[in-house]
Amino acid sequence: MAAVTIECCPPIARQRLNESEAAELAVLLKAVADPVRLRLLSMIGSHTGGEICVCDLTGAFDLTAPTISHHLKVLRTAGLIDGERRGTWVYYRIIPQQVARLGALFTPLAETASP
Amino acid sequence: MAAVTIECCPPIARQRLNESEAAELAVLLKAVADPVRLRLLSMIGSHTGGEICVCDLTGAFDLTAPTISHHLKVLRTAGLIDGERRGTWVYYRIIPQQVARLGALFTPLAETASP
């Protein structure tokens, strides 16, 4: 995987966010501020090959398939994951640029400042 | 500022989160998944000297002081900021270890993997 391009928003410890940046990032953060969605995101992102069949996601939770589908849709709407139907199943992968925006936002000044 | 120690949780793109890690991180993410709290966090973190008087925070928003206080309390309860009363005012600063946990969580594999 090549280095990703991070759009929008310096780390919170370096520069004030303006109102529109904060509003947009809050939507993204609400999408991940849920234990099931965090676990889904980590299962998708850490799976060998970078993608995972929805059939392997539903079995890992004590939740119904429609509930898992709802959470996947929230992540997809936020642009954090993408899915591709191949035959019977949908295969999900992380969109690293969007995940990296959150990483960059909370990476403190000490780790990102120029020397 | 020295390098910070990051406790808990590898990047989501490297390893599955377990249930208790996901539950704990979701609480932390809910605390920041709000436009006003994101802006407060960025104002506190980016302020010269690393701390800011509450008197300089309230003036920047079209919100009442009790509303700002509520948002500051949420951030403080989540361990993302700390406050110290000196005379009339409380002065807030970021707790970099806690903010860095969020940064590390969303830093993709490509940027954190060993060569």
Side-chain angles (χ1 to χ4, degrees):
Chain A
M1 196 188 292
V4 295
T5 305
I6 300 169
E7 293 169 14
C8 167
C9 314
I12 49 160
R14 192 187 295 172
Q15 194 175 307
R16 289 184 181 201
L17 292 172
N18 65 37
E19 273 191 67
S20 66
E21 287 171 340
E24 191 199 342
L25 288 163
V27 171
L28 202 57
L29 286 163
K30 282 193 173 89
V32 294
D34 175 276
V36 173
R37 293 200 288 275
L38 275 176
R39 287 176 67 204
L40 284 169
L41 207 54
S42 78
M43 289 173 74
I44 297 167
S46 67
H47 199 257
T48 311
E51 69 171 18
I52 188 166
C53 175
V54 67
C55 57
D56 293 322
L57 293 172
T58 46
F61 294 86
D62 192 18
L63 297 167
T64 64
T67 300
I68 297 294
S69 288
H70 159 74
H71 286 301
L72 288 168
K73 190 179 177 187
V74 173
L75 291 172
R76 198 168 175 168
T77 303
L80 290 158
I81 62 170
D82 199 5
E84 186 190 355
R85 178 171 291 280
R86 294 203 294 275
T88 308
W89 302 110
V90 178
Y91 292 78
Y92 287 99
R93 57 173 56 245
I94 270 186
I95 300 180
Q97 289 84 349
Q98 194 78 320
V99 175
R101 282 177 61 187
L102 294 179
L105 184 69
F106 294 111
T107 299
L109 187 56
E111 296 180 337
T112 55
S114 302
Chain B
M1 194 188 294
V4 295
T5 305
I6 299 169
E7 293 170 15
C8 166
C9 313
I12 49 160
R14 192 186 296 172
Q15 194 176 306
R16 288 183 182 203
L17 293 172
N18 66 36
E19 274 190 66
S20 66
E21 287 171 339
E24 189 199 343
L25 287 163
V27 170
L28 201 56
L29 285 163
K30 281 193 175 87
V32 293
D34 176 277
V36 172
R37 293 200 288 274
L38 276 176
R39 287 176 66 203
L40 283 169
L41 208 53
S42 78
M43 289 173 74
I44 297 167
S46 67
H47 200 256
T48 310
E51 70 171 19
I52 188 167
C53 174
V54 68
C55 56
D56 292 322
L57 294 172
T58 47
F61 294 86
D62 191 19
L63 296 167
T64 64
T67 299
I68 297 294
S69 288
H70 159 73
H71 287 300
L72 289 167
K73 190 179 176 186
V74 173
L75 292 172
R76 197 168 176 168
T77 302
L80 289 158
I81 62 169
D82 199 6
E84 186 191 355
R85 179 172 290 279
R86 293 203 295 274
T88 307
W89 302 109
V90 178
Y91 292 78
Y92 287 99
R93 57 175 55 245
I94 270 186
I95 300 180
Q97 290 84 347
Q98 194 77 320
V99 175
R101 283 178 61 188
L102 294 179
L105 184 69
F106 294 111
T107 299
L109 187 55
E111 296 180 338
T112 54
S114 302

